[in-house]
Amino acid sequence: METTLRWLDRPGGQGVTWGVPWPRGTVAAGAPFGLTGPGGAELPVQSWTTATWPDGSVKWSAHAAVPGDPGEGAYRLVPGRNPAAPRVPVTVAREGGLLRVSTGPVTWTIAEEGDTLVRSAHRDGRKILRDVRLVSLRQDGPTPDEGGAVRRESVTGRVERVTVEQDGPVRAVIRAEGRHGDWLPFTVRLYFYAGAEDVRIAHTFVWDGDPGRDFLAGLGLRAGVVMRDEPHDRHVRLAGPGGFLTEAVRGLTGLRRDPGEDVRRAQVEGRPCGPIGNPEVAGRLHLIPAWNDYTLDQNSADGYLLRKRTAEGHAWVTIPSGTRSAGYGYVGGISGGLGFGLRDFWRLHPTRLDVRDAATGLATATVWLWSPSAPAMDLRFWHDGLGQDTFAEQLEGLEITYEDHEPGFGDPYGVARTHELTLRAYAATPAHPELAAHAAVMNEPPLLVASPERIKAAGVFGDWAPADRSTPARAAIEDRLDFLFDLYAREREQRRWYGFWDYGDVMHTYDADRRTWRYDVGGYAWDNSELSPDLWLWYQFLRTGRAEVFRLAEAMTRHTGEVDVYHLGRWKGLGSRHNVQHWGCSCKQLRISSAVYRRFFHYLTADERTGDLLDEVASAEEAYAALDPLRKVREDVYTPDPSALSIGLGTDWGALAAAWLTRWERHGDERARDKLLGTMAGIGALPRGFLTGEARLDLAAGRFDTSRDAVSVSHLSAVFGLPEICSELLALGLDVPGFERAWLDYCRLYLAAPERQAAETGRPLTGVSLIQAHSRLAAYAAARLDDPELAALAWRAFFRDEGDQLNTNPLQREPVWRLTRVEGPQVPAALWDAPFVSTNDAAQYGLAAIQNLALIAAHLPEG
């Protein structure tokens, strides 16, 4: 079964990694893969398996290739065909505590421990760079405007362990782990491709400081650059929004005496200036200042400042600045130099690019992930608690600001952030088109993808179908799905949802009075995956293949998997509910850290860091042994007990099932499989199945106590990935007695008439709301049971003809499908007014529409 692949948004020539799904039973374990390019030529490809079906066949494969001169046409991936070998493979060799990674053009030397990430890089026998280090600045207090002296120390990160994760022939991956001094543990992966002149770097750090006394004032990657050429043949390039600052260390343009047009043009273009024929210039070169230091400071999403100086101790000279830098630079000369940059540079502000000592024999280039020019990172909690010292007071606070506060729980200890950087060893100063192309590839890494139809044919990710406008009713829904995505893409830009900790998230609820989102009102601020916008975006990408949808979903996955989840400490494996600060809510739950949100990106890209996140939550149930998620609202006496953990059968079990399934299919983990199948059997054995609401889990045995006989439903149980994961599990045909019946009962009865609910459960269900969102449950049961009446109910609920059953919340109303331009004194500038009250409306409309169209489109009314 060969697969046709296309570029997501831009071709890439120096290395690409991607994933492909396969129908069950079509690709045997260990099968080779061949790859052909648009012209039919065989291309080298390196392949491995990232997930398997229960029968052992390949479910997801990952591939790395170097397209060379990429074309816009299609690529073909063929299982069972031996791959072509690269002309010059990437190799990894160990010698004397060093790793030498050769890509062909460049040899990179990496120490297995110490204070460097990369010891050196040589190209064509010449050393281009040396001593690539992680650097940071740490303060013992906030900015001085709060009074008192602030002590700042500079720290160099130390590598403690290096692991070779892949060693070619097309792709090599080196993993380095260590700490930024005595805090901030980091994981760095270095990615090398055959024939490439660059290394891609993924840097993740975990916050383990005390917010009251630890303030991160700078965090960066620094490299030494060997400078051999005359100062007028040395060049600095720093990216603006479109072009580059074009400077020479010793400039020959604009002088009172003209060195000649050929000399001037050569210097601007980065070519050797050659002999300077005008003696009035040649005899006075020593009087032309050499510019030693350059800085580009991006302290907001709207502007950067450029400066340069001749030496430390002398004033900085301001260079005309700009708006949004592409985050890429170069320092070097006609005999070679270094390209350096940070992906999403302006989106992740405050950031900075530095060049220092360019007039000496060893320059340095620093990419700052947190700019030292900005105020120090302040992670203290955002208010004083407002006297909410008891559960009763905290529940009262929840009633007014929607914030679930608890002293000591708004702690960032254990949250993380990942950045993607690049270093490139050039043989000479690159021309501007080449620099621009490399900056573009850094910011939008090339990716090969299969079509929506091909991915759907593989049978992955449950209930969805490619976009279809074949009827007026279908077209109307597709238009609304496009409207929703375009709305959030526009809101991100209009409201500037950017910044080091914020980029990738969206806001929860809109404030129509202030014409802004409720960024400062408790639980109405940052969304933190509430009601699954992550799922909505990924399913919308699967069905449309739109690059802009992928990029928004990618940024959200990077954010929610790192910033909204704990990776160290007492809440490791749990995430934080929505709040003004991403970690501010005391509700620490599996529904936020769920693997169901990360699987898409991992399988489509083979991203190793996302794989780490999936592994982290493989046993996340253990976190509940130290934290009762229902502690504030319990009426019974409950003490967390490893042999009797209280697990909600909706948000909790859905997240656990996703983690266990993912662990099983990625690693063949039998313990994860047994926990998954055992708890599925337990749900099937409960007298009320999913309608029971919660059950006691024996942590050691991985089994539920099935004696509980109660009826309890929550409007949140099925809006955090439970329908999606149940659909996948049932499609696997695992033959777990009672599980399908239990799930279908829940799907049938949630939106059923109260009389029907009472007849089957003894009383009408309470807590029923989010009717449109839950229409997809009725649709699932309708499709599975071939029941036209349930299908009609699902569409009525989706279009809300019946109103919101048992729900009087005015915020959950039919969205208004239009945009309104607002001008006036209540807004700083003209803006488009958000038509939706809440992100919940968008995400749940999107998921309901996508799944209903996949399940019961034949019953869609055309009126």
Side-chain angles (χ1 to χ4, degrees):
M1 180 182 181
E2 76 174 36
T3 294
T4 300
L5 304 165
R6 62 173 178 83
W7 292 108
L8 175 67
D9 40 21
R10 67 173 64 251
Q14 282 206 323
V16 58
T17 300
W18 74 98
V20 177
W22 302 93
R24 180 169 12 193
T26 60
V27 178
F33 290 87
L35 180 70
T36 60
E42 293 285 335
L43 298 177
V45 61
Q46 179 175 321
S47 304
W48 62 101
T49 299
T50 52
T52 58
W53 293 99
D55 66 1
S57 62
V58 176
K59 185 175 184 179
W60 282 90
S61 60
H63 310 274
V66 180
D69 184 14
E72 295 286 352
Y75 291 73
R76 293 190 307 120
L77 183 70
V78 184
R81 178 185 294 176
N82 290 325
R87 184 177 59 83
V88 179
V90 60
T91 60
V92 181
R94 272 195 167 95
E95 48 184 86
L98 299 175
L99 296 176
R100 299 199 190 277
V101 182
S102 175
T103 65
V106 184
T107 298
W108 307 80
T109 301
I110 300 165
E112 296 197 71
E113 63 176 351
D115 62 359
T116 63
L117 277 179
V118 177
R119 182 73 61 82
S120 64
H122 288 74
R123 178 165 186 166
D124 302 326
R126 295 195 304 270
K127 181 181 287 188
I128 300 296
L129 68 88
R130 66 180 236 193
D131 298 336
V132 179
R133 292 186 168 98
L134 294 170
V135 294
S136 60
L137 300 170
R138 184 180 189 177
Q139 288 183 186
D140 59 0
T143 53
D145 61 4
E146 291 194 17
V150 174
R151 184 174 62 88
R152 176 181 284 193
E153 63 173 331
S154 178
V155 179
T156 299
R158 181 166 184 82
V159 174
E160 299 168 350
R161 182 171 65 173
V162 169
T163 305
V164 179
E165 293 186 332
Q166 288 188 332
D167 60 0
V170 175
R171 179 185 194 245
V173 182
I174 309 298
R175 172 178 172 147
E177 298 167 88
R179 301 180 70 84
H180 290 275
D182 63 353
W183 72 324
L184 302 185
F186 65 77
T187 299
V188 171
R189 283 187 171 88
L190 307 171
Y191 294 89
F192 305 90
Y193 288 86
E197 60 185 9
D198 67 325
V199 55
R200 173 177 168 260
I201 302 170
H203 171 275
T204 300
F205 82 96
V206 182
W207 175 268
D208 66 345
D210 179 344
R213 59 181 177 83
D214 293 320
F215 296 82
L216 186 62
L219 181 66
L221 178 80
R222 176 172 294 156
V225 186
V226 179
M227 306 292 278
R228 300 180 179 85
D229 305 298
E230 290 294 324
H232 53 268
D233 278 332
R234 301 181 183 188
H235 305 107
V236 173
R237 307 286 186 260
L238 295 173
F244 282 78
L245 173 75
T246 302
E247 297 270 332
V249 171
R250 180 166 64 198
L252 299 181
T253 67
L255 299 174
R256 187 174 185 184
R257 304 301 180 203
D258 185 6
E261 182 180 355
D262 290 345
V263 171
R264 288 185 279 110
R265 181 178 294 119
Q267 187 176 69
V268 169
E269 293 177 357
R271 295 182 287 106
C273 290
I276 299 172
N278 186 341
E280 293 188 326
V281 176
R284 297 186 175 104
L285 290 178
H286 64 288
L287 298 176
I288 301 173
W291 295 98
N292 200 50
D293 303 333
Y294 289 78
T295 286
L296 187 155
D297 222 331
Q298 184 88 49
N299 272 341
S300 79
D302 293 310
Y304 61 82
L305 176 66
L306 272 168
R307 298 172 296 159
K308 67 179 182 179
R309 68 183 180 184
T310 56
E312 188 175 353
H314 295 275
W316 289 94
V317 175
T318 301
I319 305 170
S321 300
T323 54
R324 294 171 169 176
S325 168
Y328 193 72
Y330 168 85
V331 59
I334 58 173
S335 62
L338 177 69
F340 54 96
L342 170 65
R343 185 184 182 190
D344 292 320
F345 182 77
W346 60 265
R347 296 180 179 91
L348 289 167
H349 66 80
T351 50
R352 195 166 102 178
L353 299 180
D354 281 349
V355 172
R356 297 289 183 268
D357 299 323
T360 72
L362 185 70
T364 61
T366 307
V367 182
W368 291 101
L369 316 181
W370 185 276
S371 169
S373 309
M377 187 185 293
D378 190 346
L379 302 186
R380 293 173 293 180
F381 193 68
W382 66 286
H383 66 69
D384 65 3
L386 307 173
Q388 299 175 70
D389 298 322
T390 67
F391 287 170
E393 291 166 333
Q394 292 156 26
L395 292 172
E396 282 295 297
L398 187 64
E399 289 298 315
I400 187 64
T401 64
Y402 203 28
E403 182 188 23
D404 192 359
H405 175 71
E406 188 170 344
F409 276 66
D411 190 344
Y413 187 94
V415 304
R417 198 41 155 153
T418 292
H419 293 78
E420 299 173 55
L421 306 95
T422 189
L423 297 176
R424 185 178 292 264
Y426 290 98
T429 300
H432 283 77
E434 186 179 3
L435 277 172
H438 293 161
V441 165
M442 177 189 73
N443 279 297
E444 291 184 344
L447 182 69
L448 286 168
V449 293
S451 68
E453 292 77 12
R454 169 60 182 80
I455 297 175
K456 177 60 181 175
V460 294
F461 296 134
D463 303 314
W464 62 278
D468 181 353
R469 298 177 178 272
S470 60
T471 70
R474 282 176 174 266
I477 294 176
E478 295 292 352
D479 287 345
R480 289 190 167 192
L481 288 169
D482 288 345
F483 178 93
L484 283 174
F485 171 77
D486 293 341
L487 167 70
Y488 275 87
R490 194 202 70 245
E491 285 296 299
R492 180 174 72 176
E493 170 61 14
Q494 177 173 254
R495 313 291 175 170
R496 301 299 193 267
W497 291 340
Y498 303 120
F500 186 98
W501 291 111
D502 298 334
Y503 175 56
D505 206 353
V506 297
M507 283 282 169
H508 184 286
T509 304
Y510 192 68
D511 186 337
D513 295 313
R514 288 189 290 169
R515 307 289 186 182
T516 189
W517 293 78
R518 302 183 198 180
Y519 66 94
D520 58 350
V521 185
Y524 290 117
W526 290 112
D527 190 71
N528 284 33
S529 296
E530 182 71 3
L531 272 65
S532 303
D534 321 57
L535 288 178
W536 157 50
L537 291 173
W538 280 119
Y539 279 113
Q540 186 65 356
F541 167 71
L542 290 178
R543 59 197 307 278
T544 65
R546 290 176 60 185
E548 59 270 39
V549 180
F550 180 94
R551 296 302 183 191
L552 194 64
E554 176 187 22
M556 182 170 286
T557 298
R558 281 283 189 227
H559 169 91
T560 59
E562 303 281 13
V563 180
D564 299 343
V565 176
Y566 290 97
H567 310 274
L568 288 176
R570 55 179 171 163
W571 301 315
K572 182 180 178 180
L574 302 177
S576 289
R577 175 182 168 273
H578 39 103
N579 193 263
V580 170
Q581 289 172 310
H582 297 284
W583 47 81
C585 185
S586 76
C587 184
K588 313 297 185 186
Q589 289 202 336
L590 292 169
R591 75 191 205 196
I592 310 303
S593 60
S594 178
V596 76
Y597 299 138
R598 329 285 175 230
R599 300 166 76 233
F600 302 87
F601 183 63
H602 175 68
Y603 288 139
L604 289 166
T605 67
D607 179 71
E608 280 84 0
R609 173 57 189 168
T610 312
D612 293 345
L613 301 180
L614 293 171
D615 287 339
E616 281 182 4
V617 297
S619 298
E621 69 275 12
E622 295 173 3
Y624 276 171
L627 179 69
D628 175 17
L630 302 178
R631 62 195 177 280
K632 296 186 184 182
V633 296
R634 282 195 180 279
E635 297 179 358
D636 59 339
V637 176
Y638 175 76
T639 301
D641 178 351
S643 64
L645 292 176
S646 180
I647 297 294
L649 299 182
T651 59
D652 293 343
W653 185 81
L656 291 174
W660 295 333
L661 172 63
T662 306
R663 180 75 183 179
W664 178 23
E665 65 186 12
R666 289 185 67 223
H667 300 293
D669 189 321
E670 295 183 359
R671 172 64 175 156
R673 178 202 62 193
D674 291 347
K675 288 190 287 188
L676 176 64
L677 298 182
T679 54
M680 289 173 67
I683 292 170
L686 285 165
R688 305 293 182 177
F690 279 98
L691 292 165
T692 310
E694 67 176 48
R696 298 294 176 90
L697 175 69
D698 186 318
L699 195 60
R703 297 292 188 274
F704 281 131
D705 175 358
T706 60
S707 64
R708 182 178 173 86
D709 188 358
V711 174
S712 175
V713 300
S714 167
H715 65 297
L716 297 180
S717 292
V719 291
F720 286 87
L722 182 65
E724 291 75 17
I725 208 66
C726 284
S727 174
E728 284 201 55
L729 292 173
L730 289 170
L732 290 176
L734 298 174
D735 192 27
V736 179
F739 181 80
E740 181 175 12
R741 173 198 53 78
W743 179 237
L744 289 176
D745 284 349
Y746 192 87
C747 292
R748 285 188 308 105
L749 292 175
Y750 187 91
L751 292 182
E755 298 79 15
R756 180 67 175 271
Q757 294 170 345
E760 297 203 34
T761 69
R763 60 178 174 81
L765 301 180
T766 59
V768 173
S769 66
L770 297 175
I771 300 305
Q772 186 179 63
H774 284 85
S775 68
R776 68 189 193 269
L777 271 64
Y780 183 85
R784 200 79 171 183
L785 299 172
D786 192 20
D787 187 330
E789 290 186 8
L790 271 175
L793 170 64
W795 282 122
R796 289 199 306 273
F798 176 77
F799 290 114
R800 301 195 176 193
D801 288 344
E802 296 182 341
D804 210 356
Q805 177 188 354
L806 301 180
N807 175 43
T808 58
N809 186 347
L811 298 182
Q812 292 163 355
R813 55 175 169 76
E814 177 68 42
V816 178
W817 296 90
R818 65 174 181 269
L819 299 176
T820 305
R821 187 174 179 84
V822 178
E823 297 190 51
Q826 77 273 30
V827 293
L831 54 82
W832 290 99
D833 200 14
F836 295 99
V837 170
S838 172
T839 297
N840 302 349
D841 291 318
Q844 290 305 307
Y845 177 92
L847 285 170
I850 289 167
Q851 291 171 29
N852 290 357
L853 286 173
L855 291 163
I856 54 170
H859 300 274
L860 174 61
E862 286 290 339

